[in-house]
């Protein structure tokens, strides 16, 4: 460890330790770029079914990263995140089917609609805390589902609606498996980049302060309303963009699928297992659960859901702080024992 000389307020020179061996700031960015290049190279090695599976993984990476902004960094557990997913999907449907607009116009508009809607409902909802906020957001998602179901002229209602994707009536031709692979890879990359920039900026520090003690953060001068609304809006925009792309990929969509609360549950589980409040945690959680789920579905189709549920419970018990924080603490303390980790968190 090196030392440097600093002058204290008393006028005395003191030796202040300067840590050595700090991780270079460019390393995470280089690792991220390498991961994206690897994903691009992987595409040519996959057959159709595998390519669609990996595309779904990219979608859940986006959703997990988006939920982490409000649920992980800020500590506001949003149980109605799927509402933004469905809102983005049906905004794209209305624009493409009834407005005859290109998907490339409907896609960013859907993300913007999600952000604006989140900002509007966030003003009253973000005054709530804990389970009150969670239940309120769940109610919003259910309200959106009922709204979509009861305006069949625009959304097709419970019977579903199909986006024209082939022929002369199609505003935009279907992108194909290769196209959607690249689309969701780009969306997941953009989500991770946004999360990294927020994490390293003033907003990220404000969100962490809110998570620790919101009243103390406000007393220290943090504009908590602004920070929470920004996190909620960005999270909704990313989720709405994913819902928009998913709707065009599926061509025919139904309210029950687009507003399925299990989508939110998967987001939460991925973040918790990977590590909430971190940038890489949701990504690793999404990748891990997707790979394990696919393996169980192929080799244990009858016991898939039960086995996956048991593995998730075991992972949460052994790694309550998430994989990223466990590895970070283990490297620092040189203690990789899962039992010690359980005792440390008194579970």
């Amino acid at each position: 460890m090196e030392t440097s000389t600093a002058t204290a307020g008393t006028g005395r020179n003191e030796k202040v330790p300067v840590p050595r061996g700090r991780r270079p700031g460019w390393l995470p960015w280089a690792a991220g770029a390498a991961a994206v290049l690897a994903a691009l190279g992987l595409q040519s090695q996959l057959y159709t079914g595998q390519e669609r599976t990996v595309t779904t993984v990219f979608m859940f990476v986006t959703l997990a990263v988006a939920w982490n902004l409000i649920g992980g960094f800020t500590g506001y557990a949003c149980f109605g995140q799927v509402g933004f997913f469905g809102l983005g999907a049906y905004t794209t449907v209305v624009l493409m089917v009834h407005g005859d607009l290109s998907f490339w116009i409907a896609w960013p508009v859907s993300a913007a609609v999600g952000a604006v809607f989140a900002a509007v409902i966030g003003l009253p909802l973000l005054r709530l805390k804990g389970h009150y906020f969670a239940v309120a957001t769940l109610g919003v998602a259910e309200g959106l589902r009922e709204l979509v179901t009861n305006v069949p002229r625009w959304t097709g209602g419970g019977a579903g609606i199909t986006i024209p994707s082939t022929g002369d009536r199609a505003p935009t031709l279907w992108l194909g498996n290769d196209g959607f692979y690249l689309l969701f890879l780009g969306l997941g990359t953009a989500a991770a980049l946004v999360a990294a920039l927020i994490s390293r900026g003033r907003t990220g520090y404000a969100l962490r302060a809110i998570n620790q003690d919101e009243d103390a953060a406000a007393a220290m001068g943090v504009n908590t309303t602004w920070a929470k609304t920004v996190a909620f809006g960005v999270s909704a925009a990313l989720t709405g963009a994913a819902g928009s792309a998913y709707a065009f990929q599926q061509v025919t969509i139904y309210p029950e699928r687009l507003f399925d609360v299990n989508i939110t549950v998967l987001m939460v589980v991925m973040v918790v297992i990977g590590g909430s409040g971190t940038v890489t945690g949701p990504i690793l959680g999404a990748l891990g659960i997707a790979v394990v789920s696919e393996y169980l579905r192929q080799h244990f189709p009858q016991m898939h859901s039960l086995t996956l549920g048991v593995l998730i419970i075991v992972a949460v018990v052994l790694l309550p702080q998430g994989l990223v924080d466990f590895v970070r603490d283990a490297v620092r303390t040189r203690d990789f024992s899962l039992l010690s980790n359980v005792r440390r968190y008194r579970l």
Side-chain angles (χ1 to χ4, degrees):
M1 177 174 295
E2 300 175 354
T3 59
S4 62
T5 302
T7 302
T10 59
R12 294 177 300 177
N13 290 336
E14 297 179 354
K15 296 294 185 179
V16 180
V18 177
R20 170 184 274 175
R22 183 175 296 175
R23 185 179 63 182
W26 54 265
L27 187 58
W29 302 101
V36 172
L37 292 175
L40 290 173
L42 177 65
Q43 183 179 19
S44 62
Q45 307 301 316
L46 303 175
Y47 59 78
T48 302
Q50 292 176 328
E51 189 175 29
R52 291 181 67 89
T53 298
V54 177
T55 300
T56 302
V57 173
F58 293 151
M59 182 186 76
F60 273 106
V61 165
T62 304
L63 296 178
V65 170
W67 189 91
N68 187 51
L69 290 175
I70 186 68
F73 283 108
T74 317
Y76 276 69
C78 179
F79 281 6
Q81 194 78 359
V82 71
F84 303 127
F85 185 77
L87 179 62
Y90 275 97
T91 299
T92 293
V93 165
V94 170
L95 293 176
M96 293 186 69
V97 174
H98 301 287
D100 200 32
L101 292 179
S102 165
F103 169 75
W104 303 112
I105 298 176
W107 190 35
V109 170
S110 298
V113 168
V116 172
F117 181 74
V120 171
I121 67 169
L123 291 176
L125 291 188
L126 288 169
R127 297 179 181 271
L128 304 173
K129 296 182 180 180
H131 57 276
Y132 297 106
F133 176 78
V135 172
T137 54
L138 180 60
V140 170
E142 288 300 303
L144 285 173
R145 183 175 65 85
E146 288 300 318
L147 176 63
V148 167
T149 303
N150 287 281
V151 286
R153 177 182 176 184
W154 293 95
T155 65
I161 190 170
T162 299
I163 301 174
S165 57
T166 59
D168 296 335
R169 293 186 59 249
T172 304
L173 295 179
W174 197 66
L175 303 181
N177 291 327
D178 292 344
F180 283 108
Y181 182 99
L182 296 175
L183 178 63
F184 278 107
L185 173 60
L187 185 57
T189 302
L193 181 60
V194 168
L197 293 175
I198 290 177
S199 174
R200 292 168 174 260
R202 291 173 60 90
T203 303
Y205 290 111
L207 297 179
R208 293 186 183 93
I210 292 171
N211 193 351
Q212 294 296 319
D213 191 325
E214 186 169 348
D215 294 331
M220 292 298 292
V222 175
N223 189 336
T224 57
T225 300
W226 167 257
K228 291 187 297 184
T229 304
V230 167
F232 202 33
V234 174
S235 175
L238 293 172
T239 305
S244 171
Y246 179 78
F248 190 38
Q249 180 195 35
Q250 298 300 309
V251 178
T252 301
I253 61 173
Y254 303 88
E256 292 78 9
R257 180 67 184 105
L258 269 298
F259 292 95
D260 187 356
V261 70
N262 288 326
I263 296 176
T264 298
V265 172
L266 279 175
M267 297 184 214
V268 176
V269 170
M270 290 170 177
V271 172
V272 170
I273 290 180
S276 63
T278 65
V279 176
T280 57
I283 299 174
L284 296 177
L287 292 174
I289 289 183
V291 170
V292 172
S293 176
E294 186 62 25
Y295 176 84
L296 293 175
R297 183 177 288 109
Q298 291 182 5
H299 294 84
F300 305 98
Q302 303 300 324
M303 300 289 290
H304 166 261
S305 298
L306 176 62
T307 307
L308 181 61
V310 170
L311 290 176
I312 290 174
I313 292 173
V314 171
V316 171
V317 170
L318 295 179
L319 302 171
Q321 78 276 48
L323 177 62
V324 171
D325 286 334
F326 168 75
V327 173
R328 182 183 297 134
D329 293 341
V331 170
R332 178 172 50 84
T333 61
R334 299 186 182 280
D335 182 5
F336 292 86
S337 171
L338 292 176
L339 294 180
S340 297
N341 190 59
V342 172
R343 287 194 295 269
R344 187 179 304 117
Y345 284 85
R346 295 175 182 168
L347 295 178

